[in-house]
Amino acid sequence: MGSAPSAEAVAQTAMRGIDKRRIRLGAAIPGQALGAYDDALDALGGQSHYLNVDRTRYYYGVTPNLRQEMEQRKSQINSRQAMDYLKTVVASICGRGSYFSGVHVFAAHEDIDDNIGGGPKLVVMRPDMSIAYSRANENLAFDEATAYLQKRGSSPRARQNRMLFLFPDTNSVGRLLDQCRIYLAWEDILEASRLEKIILDTAQVENAKTSEQRAKNQVEVTARQCYHFLLVPEAVDPRTVGFTVERVASQQGAIATSIENYLVENDLLVR
């Protein structure tokens, strides 16, 4: 297909490798769909460790295929690493709000105080498929929120009317954690390049930086899309707690502030 050009050739043409159109021209058989060749190039670009892609140009070289390098490093990132990074992102985009006495991100119920006074607490639940909210199976989320209302560790909770719950959407949890792994993989590549554990040329470093920033932005976008189910406790009878489920969208700004505004507008919170 092509080989990595010499430094002189790059300096003269500012281009590497062979354009996709010329590859199709040289390989396609009359009558065959050109899309099959595009699919083959995409597959090679995702699997070959030294087939590099620069926009629409392909070439073999001595530096690694960044996409393949990212996928390999992504597969080595465990759930704990992804969750730890996501926690910092969710804490950042949630903010503190003006009326909440605390915003607790991925906290266990024993870590949430039971103090008298202060405003309500917003509890942001961890992105776990076993408790994530879906309208088809609401009880998973309801049972988890009820446990937080009733218990603080092994002790009963005295003040059960002081918490609201922000749950992740079941349909978005997997995609959100995958986006975290992608970002962490690009971050790892740049760190390895800085330490000269892998050798990247200038163009690849810039490509990796761009991909890292794009992945970072996508984590925030996906997190905002994922965390939009607000569970508001309500007393069904003196011994039973139920929940009203509100859908709160927040495309920018602090999620906690968006929730406060929503609650005030719907008379669920008095300023």
Side-chain angles (χ1 to χ4, degrees):
M1 178 184 295
S3 61
S6 65
E8 293 78 8
V10 173
Q12 291 173 4
T13 65
M15 292 186 294
R16 302 169 182 265
I18 303 173
D19 187 81
K20 179 185 290 189
R21 292 171 298 178
R22 293 189 176 274
I23 295 172
R24 289 196 300 245
L25 180 63
I29 298 174
Q32 288 189 335
L34 293 179
Y37 294 90
D38 292 340
D39 292 342
L41 281 172
D42 290 341
L44 283 171
Q47 298 175 17
S48 177
H49 201 68
Y50 289 99
L51 175 60
N52 291 275
V53 183
D54 184 3
R55 291 184 287 274
T56 62
R57 304 182 73 85
Y58 294 75
Y59 65 92
Y60 282 102
V62 296
T63 54
N65 176 325
L66 282 180
R67 182 69 188 182
Q68 181 68 9
E69 184 74 21
M70 185 278 291
E71 291 291 347
Q72 287 187 358
R73 290 174 184 265
K74 173 188 164 187
S75 68
Q76 298 168 3
I77 294 169
N78 60 43
S79 297
R80 171 59 64 185
Q81 290 171 297
M83 194 76 76
D84 287 347
Y85 172 65
L86 180 59
K87 182 177 180 178
T88 65
V89 173
V90 173
S92 175
I93 63 177
C94 275
R96 303 297 301 174
S98 300
Y99 302 100
F100 290 122
S101 63
V103 177
H104 303 271
V105 179
F106 304 173
H109 54 70
E110 59 264 28
D111 296 326
I112 301 175
D113 65 65
D114 198 18
N115 296 335
I116 298 175
K121 298 174 175 63
L122 177 64
V123 182
V124 185
M125 308 304 286
R126 66 190 186 278
D128 187 331
M129 290 295 291
S130 67
I131 64 169
Y133 180 85
S134 72
R135 296 198 182 279
N137 195 359
E138 295 180 321
N139 287 336
L140 291 176
F142 290 173
D143 290 347
E144 186 72 6
T146 299
Y148 273 69
L149 288 174
Q150 294 179 344
K151 297 187 297 183
R152 185 182 180 223
S154 58
S155 303
R157 187 174 292 277
R159 283 155 285 281
Q160 299 184 8
N161 62 342
R162 309 299 291 170
M163 286 193 283
L164 304 170
F165 302 91
L166 185 63
F167 271 82
D169 187 335
T170 298
N171 296 324
S172 301
V173 166
R175 182 162 52 93
L176 177 56
L177 291 174
D178 191 64
Q179 287 293 341
C180 290
R181 290 187 177 94
I182 290 173
Y183 167 75
L184 292 172
W186 284 118
E187 182 183 55
D188 193 43
I189 287 172
L190 287 170
E191 179 64 10
S193 174
R194 186 184 69 81
L195 297 175
E196 298 184 349
K197 292 182 178 180
I198 60 171
I199 304 302
L200 303 180
D201 60 31
T202 303
Q204 287 182 309
V205 170
E206 290 304 313
N207 189 352
K209 288 180 179 179
T210 300
S211 297
E212 180 199 39
Q213 186 60 51
R214 185 184 301 118
K216 183 177 182 180
N217 294 342
Q218 192 58 47
V219 170
E220 179 176 328
V221 170
T222 308
R224 289 181 180 277
Q225 293 170 347
C226 183
Y227 279 92
H228 59 82
F229 285 119
L230 181 70
L231 271 62
V232 182
E234 59 179 4
V236 177
D237 58 53
R239 295 186 176 182
T240 307
V241 176
F243 295 93
T244 299
V245 180
E246 309 288 348
R247 188 162 185 157
V248 181
S250 177
Q251 300 304 316
Q252 58 183 2
I255 293 177
T257 300
S258 296
I259 290 174
E260 288 177 341
N261 292 338
Y262 180 88
L263 295 172
V264 170
E265 290 170 4
N266 290 273
D267 298 324
L268 297 171
L269 176 67
V270 179
R271 290 179 174 175

